[in-house]
Amino acid sequence: MNAELSAIELSIKEREDFIATKGKQKKQLRCDAESIAGCVSQRACVFCGARVVLNPITDAIHLIHGPIGCASYTWDIRGSLSSGTELYRNSFSTDLKEQDVIFGGEKKLARAIDELVAAYHAKLIFVYSTCIVGVIGDDIEAVCRAAMVRHHIKVIPVQSSGFIGNKSAGYRAACDSLLSLIHTEKKISKKPKSVNYLGDFNLAGEAWIIRDYLARIGVTVSTVFTGDASYEELKTAPAASLNIIQCAGSMAYLAKQMEELYHIPYLRISFLGIEDTAVTLRNIAEYFEDPEMQQKVEILIEEESRKVTDELSFYRKKLEGKKAAVYVGGGFKAISLIKQFREIGMEVVMVGTQTGQPDDYDTINGLVTEGTVVLDDANPAELEKFMIEQGANLLVGGVKERPLAYKLGVAFVDHNHERKHPLSGFVGAVNFAREVYSTVCSPVWRSIQMKTPWGE
Amino acid sequence: MLDYTPKEIKKRSSGTVINPAKTCQPIGAMYAALGIHGCLPHSHGSQGCCSFHRMHLTRHFRDPIMASTSSFTEGASVFGGGANLKTAIKNVFTLYNPDVMAIHTTCLSETIGDDIPATIRQAEIPEGKIVFHANTPSYQGSHITGFSNMTKAMVTYFSEKTTEQPKEQTNLIPGFVNPGDMRELKRIFEAMGLTYIMFPDTSGVVDSPMTGKFEMYPKGGVTIDQLKDTGNSKITLSLGRFSSEAAAEALKKKCKVPFISLKTPIGIKATDDMLMALRGSFAAEVPYELEEERGQLVDVMTDAHFHFHNKKVAIFGDPDIVAGLTEFVLSLGMKPIHILTGTPGGALGSKMYSFEDEINDMLQSAGITANVKADSDLLELHQWIKNQPVDLLIGNTYGKYIAKAEDIPFVRVGFPILDRAIHSYMPIVGYRGAMRLLEMIDNALLDRADRDAADEDFELVM
């Protein structure tokens, strides 16, 4: 353990409020604040938040108005699957140059839209603003409005200048764009027993698994926000009778707005892990007050659990007593993961999020055991310190955390953009356990523990 | 269907980029700064920039990439980012204690017009610690420009001429290449018995060995003392005009160190040129070790030359790497018919021989007509290939969409490579690097021949 690093973390007062150890002190963890300047933060920006939320809309042109970087870094980085068009997997940028920064980029943007409409015949274009667009004052709303009139298609501005907040603000900007997209003046006739599924991005096809479960209990999914979504499908969202929210960090705001505008109530749910999946299905059936549906839910839980029990108990035997550290984007995922690790016999000894809210941290605190470290917006040094101190065997995180864990000889599972297998539902619980097993129990870690044969 | 590229090429006049073959300056600056020992790169902009760059570099190198950010907020963009930077400098040394903090700007801080040198002068910097900067506006050039600007800043901030007589040493500016390439260049210099200062040097930083410990500042990187001493060197060897020449020129201007500007030494001719330049400057003999490697390279080139002859190739990526690859495939008898870079090809220095001129000169000597373009995108490359198919595509990870759509063998070379591991540890420069490239190209062609062969044409010996 690096003494220098432990010293530095405690030397900065500003960070103390963001870290807590359960049982040691009674305090409300600070979260949802700006990262301090000079921090090696794992967090991203408004644009990033908006881009990842809207990216899975498959038949849209996602046009990024700014210098090239923002488009390059977000080109097809998220494994959101499509059942139809793959247009969204191309990268479109106005590639602003010095001249545009001086004279404004509005004309260039308008020409870009014209050219793209002619080439791709899309019905929907999202125009994302980036940092300098916010500073040079391009009126992208006006450019988009004019383009809609010219082309008779939807051109939706996304107010995502990077500096106006953190990733959460980007989720909100994306939700505002979605609201303007689904806005309708027509009278809505509600579809009974239909839901919108919010906060699933169909990574590795996860939304498809949930669609299938819901179909089996007699519930139609109107729209998924935004996994495998299309323009036509998104427009049907106001007619749904219930919204269920998986990733609340990105979608709670949309759900609240839709409740107000279209009188759609919402349920916060989670399809991560056997326990949460079963609870979620039961809650949905209970909401619809339909005994037949409740019966179908029990049958489904019975059938699906039976399929996975043997394999899960195999992994449980292998993993019993191992310790996990969790550092993920939003609160809901952290909460589900704590339960999911319990299902495979592992204890969570460190848990943190980038954008968790106060009530998320309350829930987390209620779930974890004494001595677990809870932290908000952690930096790599903190992750390292607590992974080592807590003796974690595994880290669950995103792209930037992977090599950090490996360097410490700690196993790793990506629960973010780079997941390779669906982690939702019953089948997801097995995939998750298999991934945890294949990394935690890999023989490669033995090579690290092995000393060089010729000594120091 | 992944392929949305129309075959018909229509003139695009809006300046829109579809499927970029470049990214922005700051990531290049961040990578260059990692090549200084004990250095924490600092991104003066929104936290997204820093996060994206770290993510992209992490995916390419599969090693932890550390960098801090000024975390711009709405206030900073109205009142300027000076206060954020001052706080950042203080916090960086308190929190992470690097020896050096290398600040690069972003489109945001450049547009606001933050005066970085003034802020550095006013900041609280602990005794013995160093803060320097490079301006890297994202709306000019590309990641290669950013790498070049940060490398040049190392000279303008640190290089000093302190001895009367130049020292018998070379400054070696390797350009935007992998740590595996930098290690190979050092090996060649050592084999020649030459003293050198390589900067930036990311070997030992982004390819550090597994020890079971996380080192925030791994062993590698050029030191500040070495950077100072570059002013005393006899000569500077600049490899790759686009990423290295600006720093070499600055050294000449500041410390009167003459420079030789060569291609990134990819392939036999460019490596020969490098060794000849060293031999000429230092009266150093080329040792048998390197002569033997050269002989082996020629040997394998002849062994397999009939696999390559007249095969059509498309090459894209960063200008220095693309120029080297073009020369190399020509030496194998292949026909590079589409050659493209996303980096603007000549706007960097007005006198500069443009990317397109350089490539066209090579093609002309070989009697080949080709599509050659700088400042373009992968949509255009894909359209060229649809109209004039090729047998092989060479480029970074993003080429995989084209390779899949057109069903062509694909060799991954350049930056970034996000879908394969280990590449950054292995060289493509020097004779050994050329052998590796040769093997990659040959295997790609032959694996395809095996896959496509009818049963009766399927051969054991190829």
Side-chain angles (χ1 to χ4, degrees):
Chain A
M1 143 95 219
N2 191 332
E4 196 178 55
L5 282 173
S6 71
I8 56 165
E9 282 322 316
L10 302 174
S11 73
I12 195 138
K13 279 268 180 279
E14 278 112 324
R15 284 290 308 157
E16 277 181 16
D17 296 343
F18 297 88
I19 303 168
T21 306
K22 179 161 174 173
K24 276 199 186 151
Q25 64 269 77
K26 263 203 156 57
K27 69 171 181 186
Q28 182 68 47
L29 192 75
R30 265 189 77 192
C31 59
D32 202 23
E34 297 301 329
S35 303
I36 59 171
C39 215
V40 181
S41 171
Q42 307 291 80
R43 275 180 176 172
C45 62
V46 181
F47 165 73
C48 177
R51 183 78 179 88
V52 296
V53 166
L54 297 177
N55 178 64
I57 300 171
T58 58
D59 56 354
I61 286 176
H62 297 268
L63 173 59
I64 292 147
H65 186 39
I68 196 68
C70 300
S72 288
Y73 305 120
T74 55
W75 177 8
D76 202 22
I77 53 167
R78 210 169 186 186
S80 307
L81 304 193
S82 167
S83 55
T85 154
E86 308 272 356
L87 184 58
Y88 69 120
R89 299 182 63 184
N90 290 282
S91 171
F92 302 97
S93 166
T94 51
D95 189 21
L96 292 183
K97 304 272 176 71
E98 193 157 24
Q99 291 296 307
D100 308 312
V101 175
I102 298 167
F103 299 111
E106 290 177 12
K107 281 188 189 139
K108 193 174 193 183
L109 174 60
R111 281 204 306 272
I113 295 170
D114 294 348
E115 232 171 63
L116 293 175
V117 170
Y120 294 94
H121 313 289
K123 287 187 200 142
L124 172 61
I125 300 182
F126 288 106
V127 175
Y128 299 76
S129 73
T130 57
C131 283
I132 59 170
V133 170
V135 175
I136 64 178
D138 278 1
D139 186 350
I140 68 163
E141 301 257 359
V143 175
C144 291
R145 256 197 320 271
M148 275 207 277
V149 173
R150 269 200 314 284
H151 300 294
H152 313 288
I153 61 163
K154 283 274 187 188
V155 184
I156 307 283
V158 187
Q159 296 296 354
S160 52
S161 280
F163 60 85
I164 56 176
N166 60 22
K167 206 169 170 181
S168 301
Y171 297 151
R172 198 181 162 116
C175 290
D176 281 331
S177 298
L178 288 167
L179 286 165
S180 101
L181 179 66
I182 63 175
H183 174 77
T184 172
E185 301 287 343
K186 286 187 209 143
K187 198 178 171 313
I188 301 159
S189 52
K190 289 279 170 191
K191 277 191 287 179
K193 288 178 193 155
S194 69
V195 300
N196 295 316
Y197 177 26
L198 278 59
D200 188 316
F201 305 99
N202 202 32
L203 301 176
E206 288 174 344
W208 295 335
I209 293 169
I210 305 310
R211 245 181 211 282
D212 168 64
Y213 289 169
L214 294 176
R216 281 159 62 186
I217 65 167
V219 174
T220 325
V221 176
S222 216
T223 305
V224 179
F225 285 92
T226 53
D228 193 22
S230 65
Y231 173 53
E232 292 301 332
E233 193 189 83
L234 285 164
K235 283 200 307 188
T236 67
S241 43
L242 175 69
N243 279 340
I244 54 174
I245 326 171
Q246 164 116 314
C247 176
S250 61
M251 288 286 169
Y253 169 71
L254 183 68
K256 281 178 193 148
Q257 292 294 311
M258 284 171 80
E259 184 174 43
E260 205 166 287
L261 294 165
Y262 308 111
H263 315 291
I264 306 175
Y266 62 88
L267 280 181
R268 284 179 68 157
I269 53 97
S270 165
F271 283 110
L272 296 179
I274 302 252
E275 185 187 331
D276 279 2
T277 302
V279 169
T280 293
L281 291 169
R282 287 187 181 119
N283 287 350
I284 292 170
E286 194 182 299
Y287 172 84
F288 284 114
E289 295 175 336
D290 178 341
E292 199 190 322
M293 190 187 290
Q294 282 167 351
Q295 219 170 12
K296 284 180 182 162
V297 165
E298 294 312 318
I299 294 168
L300 187 147
I301 293 172
E302 221 284 305
E303 274 178 13
E304 293 296 322
S305 306
R306 198 174 343 116
K307 281 189 218 161
V308 300
T309 316
D310 285 354
E311 209 177 335
L312 268 182
S313 62
F314 167 81
Y315 295 127
R316 193 187 163 97
K317 256 180 239 142
K318 298 283 178 187
L319 297 169
E320 194 88 62
K322 300 268 195 230
K323 292 173 182 173
V326 172
Y327 187 69
V328 289
F332 110 91
K333 203 186 281 174
I335 292 163
S336 278
L337 279 169
I338 296 167
K339 296 184 207 163
Q340 217 175 336
F341 275 116
R342 207 166 286 163
E343 288 170 10
I344 52 174
M346 289 176 70
E347 189 196 339
V348 172
V349 291
M350 183 204 95
V351 54
T353 82
Q354 288 178 48
T355 56
Q357 300 296 311
D359 52 338
D360 294 328
Y361 282 108
D362 284 345
T363 313
I364 288 171
N365 230 21
L367 279 171
V368 295
T369 49
E370 294 274 305
T372 298
V373 171
V374 184
L375 68 179
D376 182 66
D377 184 25
N379 60 48
E382 288 163 355
L383 294 178
E384 179 199 16
K385 175 175 144 69
F386 294 116
M387 268 194 279
I388 294 171
E389 277 185 8
Q390 300 286 88
N393 303 100
L394 169 80
L395 174 69
V396 181
V399 186
K400 293 185 292 282
E401 288 81 53
R402 181 193 292 269
L404 176 69
Y406 288 167
K407 278 282 186 261
L408 299 173
V410 170
F412 183 84
V413 168
D414 193 298
H415 211 298
N416 205 337
H417 308 223
E418 288 184 0
R419 72 183 68 166
K420 296 297 173 231
H421 306 100
L423 301 178
S424 283
F426 297 93
V427 53
V430 182
N431 287 339
F432 180 72
R434 189 184 304 122
E435 277 197 32
V436 170
Y437 166 72
S438 63
T439 177
V440 169
C441 300
S442 164
V444 296
W445 309 117
R446 263 180 256 152
S447 308
I448 306 167
Q449 286 147 9
M450 221 155 53
K451 289 237 157 52
T452 42
W454 50 88
E456 282 305 307
Chain B
M1 186 185 75
L2 255 173
D3 180 9
Y4 279 83
T5 305
K7 185 174 175 185
E8 189 195 343
I9 302 175
K10 283 190 187 152
K11 197 172 157 34
R12 287 184 281 155
S13 58
S14 69
T16 311
V17 164
I18 303 174
N19 299 343
K22 64 172 175 185
T23 182
C24 63
Q25 282 209 43
I27 196 173
M30 187 181 281
Y31 179 52
L34 287 166
I36 297 178
H37 179 71
C39 179
L40 187 69
H42 179 85
S43 165
H44 186 49
S46 300
Q47 45 187 19
C49 305
C50 187
S51 175
F52 280 140
H53 303 150
R54 289 179 56 216
M55 184 181 75
H56 221 54
L57 292 169
T58 296
R59 284 179 164 148
H60 178 84
F61 295 108
R62 294 178 192 249
D63 245 26
I65 302 295
M66 293 297 131
S68 55
T69 166
S70 292
S71 300
F72 267 48
T73 54
E74 201 133 28
S77 67
V78 177
F79 303 113
N84 274 55
L85 185 56
K86 245 184 269 179
T87 314
I89 292 173
K90 186 167 158 271
N91 284 340
V92 157
F93 288 107
T94 317
L95 273 167
Y96 307 111
N97 196 31
D99 298 334
V100 187
M101 177 178 177
I103 300 164
H104 63 260
T105 57
T106 56
C107 47
L108 179 57
S109 52
E110 286 288 336
T111 308
I112 297 167
D114 284 343
D115 183 349
I116 311 295
T119 311
I120 295 176
R121 276 195 301 274
Q122 292 159 12
E124 284 174 54
I125 300 167
E127 186 71 31
K129 301 290 179 177
I130 290 162
V131 180
F132 79 110
H133 93 289
N135 290 94
T136 52
S138 321
Y139 44 74
Q140 285 173 350
S142 75
H143 56 296
I144 296 301
T145 323
F147 183 92
S148 165
N149 285 341
M150 181 53 82
T151 308
K152 184 182 165 189
M154 294 175 195
V155 172
T156 49
Y157 266 88
F158 304 119
S159 301
E160 292 172 351
K161 185 163 180 61
T162 52
T163 58
E164 249 333 273
Q165 285 297 315
K167 291 187 183 172
E168 281 293 303
Q169 66 186 24
T170 317
N171 299 323
L172 169 58
I173 313 182
F176 198 130
V177 292
N178 279 319
D181 297 309
M182 298 188 187
R183 282 180 194 275
E184 181 65 7
L185 290 170
K186 291 200 279 192
R187 190 184 67 83
I188 292 170
F189 270 64
E190 277 152 27
M192 295 276 289
L194 297 176
T195 312
Y196 60 89
I197 299 168
M198 178 158 82
F199 71 99
D201 179 4
T202 59
S203 69
V205 181
V206 297
D207 65 350
S208 61
M210 171 67 99
T211 57
K213 263 195 299 195
F214 164 63
E215 302 286 351
M216 183 113 177
Y217 308 107
K219 286 200 171 108
V222 66
T223 64
I224 296 297
D225 285 343
Q226 286 176 310
L227 282 174
K228 286 182 180 164
D229 200 30
T230 55
N232 298 321
S233 296
K234 188 171 166 188
I235 197 165
T236 300
L237 190 62
S238 152
L239 301 178
R241 304 185 291 132
F242 285 85
S243 44
S244 303
E245 207 171 282
E249 252 170 38
L251 252 168
K252 186 181 167 199
K253 220 167 156 188
K254 190 176 177 192
C255 306
K256 312 270 180 305
V257 181
F259 71 89
I260 302 175
S261 180
L262 294 174
K263 274 202 189 69
T264 305
I266 297 170
I268 192 157
K269 178 168 182 302
T271 307
D272 284 352
D273 289 347
M274 181 176 78
L275 296 190
M276 287 307 284
L278 294 174
R279 194 165 163 267
S281 306
F282 292 96
E285 283 306 309
V286 177
Y288 178 67
E289 179 187 348
L290 295 178
E291 212 174 295
E292 186 179 46
E293 283 170 18
R294 187 184 190 279
Q296 287 177 319
L297 172 61
V298 178
D299 193 71
V300 294
M301 281 168 72
T302 47
D303 287 345
H305 70 277
F306 52 91
H307 298 156
F308 305 117
H309 195 72
N310 266 345
K311 293 276 192 248
K312 295 194 186 91
V313 200
I315 303 171
F316 75 95
D318 299 334
D320 295 330
I321 304 297
V322 169
L325 289 171
T326 304
E327 189 173 75
F328 183 50
V329 301
L330 283 170
S331 74
L332 297 174
M334 301 176 93
K335 284 189 168 165
I337 60 166
H338 308 303
I339 299 158
L340 179 142
T341 181
T343 296
L348 299 175
S350 51
K351 289 174 296 179
M352 210 174 195
Y353 179 48
S354 81
F355 170 79
E356 290 163 17
D357 289 343
E358 180 180 11
I359 301 290
N360 281 322
D361 282 353
M362 285 191 267
L363 294 172
Q364 209 173 4
S365 333
I368 290 168
T369 22
N371 291 309
V372 180
K373 203 164 173 188
D375 201 9
S376 188
D377 57 23
L378 295 187
L379 178 87
E380 181 151 32
L381 180 69
H382 195 171
Q383 290 184 313
W384 288 347
I385 292 174
K386 278 185 187 290
N387 288 285
Q388 273 180 278
V390 291
D391 302 300
L392 180 72
L393 175 65
I394 306 180
N396 65 37
T397 282
Y398 293 107
K400 75 189 287 181
Y401 297 101
I402 299 174
K404 185 173 168 68
E406 305 308 320
D407 195 22
I408 36 183
F410 176 38
V411 169
R412 287 165 178 78
V413 179
F415 175 86
I417 294 175
L418 312 172
D419 60 339
R420 293 292 185 272
I422 310 153
H423 53 88
S424 65
Y425 291 76
M426 313 300 269
I428 58 166
V429 299
Y431 302 125
R432 303 282 299 174
M435 278 176 76
R436 175 168 170 259
L437 263 181
L438 194 75
E439 186 181 21
M440 285 158 68
I441 294 172
D442 205 15
N443 288 353
L445 293 171
L446 296 181
D447 282 347
R448 173 55 55 99
D450 278 341
R451 195 200 80 177
D452 291 351
D455 282 1
E456 62 273 26
D457 296 326
F458 188 69
E459 288 180 289
L460 177 67
V461 182
M462 295 172 90

PDB file of all heavy atoms in Angstrom, chain B residues 116-131:
ATOM      1  N   ILE B 116      -2.731  31.520 -20.121  1.00  0.00           N
ATOM      2  CA  ILE B 116      -2.167  30.458 -19.285  1.00  0.00           C
ATOM      3  C   ILE B 116      -0.836  30.884 -18.650  1.00  0.00           C
ATOM      4  O   ILE B 116      -0.649  30.704 -17.445  1.00  0.00           O
ATOM      5  CB  ILE B 116      -1.989  29.146 -20.091  1.00  0.00           C
ATOM      6  CG1 ILE B 116      -3.271  28.800 -20.860  1.00  0.00           C
ATOM      7  CG2 ILE B 116      -1.572  27.998 -19.173  1.00  0.00           C
ATOM      8  CD1 ILE B 116      -4.468  28.480 -20.033  1.00  0.00           C
ATOM      9  N   PRO B 117       0.107  31.449 -19.432  1.00  0.00           N
ATOM     10  CA  PRO B 117       1.383  31.830 -18.793  1.00  0.00           C
ATOM     11  C   PRO B 117       1.176  32.785 -17.610  1.00  0.00           C
ATOM     12  O   PRO B 117       1.826  32.640 -16.571  1.00  0.00           O
ATOM     13  CB  PRO B 117       2.148  32.526 -19.926  1.00  0.00           C
ATOM     14  CG  PRO B 117       1.566  31.986 -21.178  1.00  0.00           C
ATOM     15  CD  PRO B 117       0.120  31.710 -20.877  1.00  0.00           C
ATOM     16  N   ALA B 118       0.253  33.733 -17.757  1.00  0.00           N
ATOM     17  CA  ALA B 118       0.000  34.671 -16.659  1.00  0.00           C
ATOM     18  C   ALA B 118      -0.518  33.927 -15.428  1.00  0.00           C
ATOM     19  O   ALA B 118      -0.090  34.192 -14.299  1.00  0.00           O
ATOM     20  CB  ALA B 118      -1.001  35.729 -17.103  1.00  0.00           C
ATOM     21  N   THR B 119      -1.413  32.994 -15.646  1.00  0.00           N
ATOM     22  CA  THR B 119      -1.954  32.238 -14.510  1.00  0.00           C
ATOM     23  C   THR B 119      -0.865  31.398 -13.845  1.00  0.00           C
ATOM     24  O   THR B 119      -0.809  31.306 -12.622  1.00  0.00           O
ATOM     25  CB  THR B 119      -3.100  31.319 -14.980  1.00  0.00           C
ATOM     26  OG1 THR B 119      -3.999  32.090 -15.763  1.00  0.00           O
ATOM     27  CG2 THR B 119      -3.843  30.722 -13.803  1.00  0.00           C
ATOM     28  N   ILE B 120      -0.006  30.787 -14.659  1.00  0.00           N
ATOM     29  CA  ILE B 120       1.075  29.976 -14.082  1.00  0.00           C
ATOM     30  C   ILE B 120       1.971  30.863 -13.211  1.00  0.00           C
ATOM     31  O   ILE B 120       2.345  30.481 -12.099  1.00  0.00           O
ATOM     32  CB  ILE B 120       1.914  29.282 -15.193  1.00  0.00           C
ATOM     33  CG1 ILE B 120       1.058  28.261 -15.946  1.00  0.00           C
ATOM     34  CG2 ILE B 120       3.148  28.603 -14.587  1.00  0.00           C
ATOM     35  CD1 ILE B 120       1.751  27.584 -17.117  1.00  0.00           C
ATOM     36  N   ARG B 121       2.262  32.072 -13.701  1.00  0.00           N
ATOM     37  CA  ARG B 121       3.122  32.990 -12.920  1.00  0.00           C
ATOM     38  C   ARG B 121       2.500  33.336 -11.573  1.00  0.00           C
ATOM     39  O   ARG B 121       3.177  33.485 -10.581  1.00  0.00           O
ATOM     40  CB  ARG B 121       3.376  34.273 -13.723  1.00  0.00           C
ATOM     41  CG  ARG B 121       4.521  34.156 -14.729  1.00  0.00           C
ATOM     42  CD  ARG B 121       4.981  35.522 -15.222  1.00  0.00           C
ATOM     43  NE  ARG B 121       3.913  36.292 -15.866  1.00  0.00           N
ATOM     44  CZ  ARG B 121       3.577  36.185 -17.153  1.00  0.00           C
ATOM     45  NH1 ARG B 121       4.216  35.330 -17.930  1.00  0.00           N
ATOM     46  NH2 ARG B 121       2.611  36.912 -17.662  1.00  0.00           N
ATOM     47  N   GLN B 122       1.167  33.452 -11.570  1.00  0.00           N
ATOM     48  CA  GLN B 122       0.500  33.866 -10.326  1.00  0.00           C
ATOM     49  C   GLN B 122       0.184  32.694  -9.393  1.00  0.00           C
ATOM     50  O   GLN B 122      -0.213  32.913  -8.252  1.00  0.00           O
ATOM     51  CB  GLN B 122      -0.821  34.571 -10.661  1.00  0.00           C
ATOM     52  CG  GLN B 122      -0.631  35.912 -11.353  1.00  0.00           C
ATOM     53  CD  GLN B 122      -1.879  36.331 -12.110  1.00  0.00           C
ATOM     54  OE1 GLN B 122      -2.944  35.740 -11.936  1.00  0.00           O
ATOM     55  NE2 GLN B 122      -1.752  37.327 -12.965  1.00  0.00           N
ATOM     56  N   ALA B 123       0.353  31.481  -9.898  1.00  0.00           N
ATOM     57  CA  ALA B 123      -0.099  30.327  -9.102  1.00  0.00           C
ATOM     58  C   ALA B 123       0.897  29.961  -8.007  1.00  0.00           C
ATOM     59  O   ALA B 123       2.079  30.297  -8.089  1.00  0.00           O
ATOM     60  CB  ALA B 123      -0.318  29.135 -10.026  1.00  0.00           C
ATOM     61  N   GLU B 124       0.378  29.275  -6.979  1.00  0.00           N
ATOM     62  CA  GLU B 124       1.246  28.757  -5.910  1.00  0.00           C
ATOM     63  C   GLU B 124       1.805  27.421  -6.378  1.00  0.00           C
ATOM     64  O   GLU B 124       1.081  26.432  -6.421  1.00  0.00           O
ATOM     65  CB  GLU B 124       0.416  28.449  -4.658  1.00  0.00           C
ATOM     66  CG  GLU B 124      -0.017  29.624  -3.851  1.00  0.00           C
ATOM     67  CD  GLU B 124      -0.947  29.144  -2.728  1.00  0.00           C
ATOM     68  OE1 GLU B 124      -0.546  28.242  -1.957  1.00  0.00           O
ATOM     69  OE2 GLU B 124      -2.069  29.662  -2.665  1.00  0.00           O
ATOM     70  N   ILE B 125       3.090  27.426  -6.704  1.00  0.00           N
ATOM     71  CA  ILE B 125       3.713  26.171  -7.155  1.00  0.00           C
ATOM     72  C   ILE B 125       4.768  25.788  -6.117  1.00  0.00           C
ATOM     73  O   ILE B 125       5.655  26.578  -5.815  1.00  0.00           O
ATOM     74  CB  ILE B 125       4.368  26.359  -8.541  1.00  0.00           C
ATOM     75  CG1 ILE B 125       3.293  26.777  -9.553  1.00  0.00           C
ATOM     76  CG2 ILE B 125       5.059  25.079  -8.983  1.00  0.00           C
ATOM     77  CD1 ILE B 125       3.841  27.285 -10.867  1.00  0.00           C
ATOM     78  N   PRO B 126       4.653  24.583  -5.557  1.00  0.00           N
ATOM     79  CA  PRO B 126       5.614  24.189  -4.524  1.00  0.00           C
ATOM     80  C   PRO B 126       7.044  24.197  -5.055  1.00  0.00           C
ATOM     81  O   PRO B 126       7.278  23.961  -6.251  1.00  0.00           O
ATOM     82  CB  PRO B 126       5.185  22.768  -4.150  1.00  0.00           C
ATOM     83  CG  PRO B 126       3.799  22.616  -4.660  1.00  0.00           C
ATOM     84  CD  PRO B 126       3.657  23.541  -5.821  1.00  0.00           C
ATOM     85  N   GLU B 127       7.972  24.462  -4.171  1.00  0.00           N
ATOM     86  CA  GLU B 127       9.407  24.483  -4.472  1.00  0.00           C
ATOM     87  C   GLU B 127       9.830  23.232  -5.248  1.00  0.00           C
ATOM     88  O   GLU B 127       9.488  22.115  -4.866  1.00  0.00           O
ATOM     89  CB  GLU B 127      10.141  24.544  -3.114  1.00  0.00           C
ATOM     90  CG  GLU B 127      11.650  24.726  -3.167  1.00  0.00           C
ATOM     91  CD  GLU B 127      12.042  26.128  -3.609  1.00  0.00           C
ATOM     92  OE1 GLU B 127      11.295  27.078  -3.322  1.00  0.00           O
ATOM     93  OE2 GLU B 127      13.109  26.256  -4.260  1.00  0.00           O
ATOM     94  N   GLY B 128      10.563  23.453  -6.317  1.00  0.00           N
ATOM     95  CA  GLY B 128      11.100  22.317  -7.060  1.00  0.00           C
ATOM     96  C   GLY B 128      10.125  21.680  -8.038  1.00  0.00           C
ATOM     97  O   GLY B 128      10.471  20.750  -8.753  1.00  0.00           O
ATOM     98  N   LYS B 129       8.901  22.149  -8.046  1.00  0.00           N
ATOM     99  CA  LYS B 129       7.907  21.580  -8.959  1.00  0.00           C
ATOM    100  C   LYS B 129       7.808  22.457 -10.209  1.00  0.00           C
ATOM    101  O   LYS B 129       8.097  23.653 -10.167  1.00  0.00           O
ATOM    102  CB  LYS B 129       6.540  21.506  -8.280  1.00  0.00           C
ATOM    103  CG  LYS B 129       6.543  20.673  -7.019  1.00  0.00           C
ATOM    104  CD  LYS B 129       6.729  19.200  -7.338  1.00  0.00           C
ATOM    105  CE  LYS B 129       6.765  18.368  -6.057  1.00  0.00           C
ATOM    106  NZ  LYS B 129       6.876  16.941  -6.325  1.00  0.00           N
ATOM    107  N   ILE B 130       7.373  21.826 -11.282  1.00  0.00           N
ATOM    108  CA  ILE B 130       7.362  22.535 -12.567  1.00  0.00           C
ATOM    109  C   ILE B 130       5.976  22.497 -13.203  1.00  0.00           C
ATOM    110  O   ILE B 130       5.322  21.458 -13.225  1.00  0.00           O
ATOM    111  CB  ILE B 130       8.396  21.888 -13.515  1.00  0.00           C
ATOM    112  CG1 ILE B 130       9.807  22.199 -13.001  1.00  0.00           C
ATOM    113  CG2 ILE B 130       8.231  22.395 -14.947  1.00  0.00           C
ATOM    114  CD1 ILE B 130      10.854  21.293 -13.556  1.00  0.00           C
ATOM    115  N   VAL B 131       5.560  23.661 -13.688  1.00  0.00           N
ATOM    116  CA  VAL B 131       4.300  23.735 -14.438  1.00  0.00           C
ATOM    117  C   VAL B 131       4.605  24.368 -15.795  1.00  0.00           C
ATOM    118  O   VAL B 131       5.273  25.400 -15.864  1.00  0.00           O
ATOM    119  CB  VAL B 131       3.258  24.609 -13.704  1.00  0.00           C
ATOM    120  CG1 VAL B 131       1.966  24.681 -14.498  1.00  0.00           C
ATOM    121  CG2 VAL B 131       2.991  24.064 -12.304  1.00  0.00           C
TER     122      VAL B 131
END
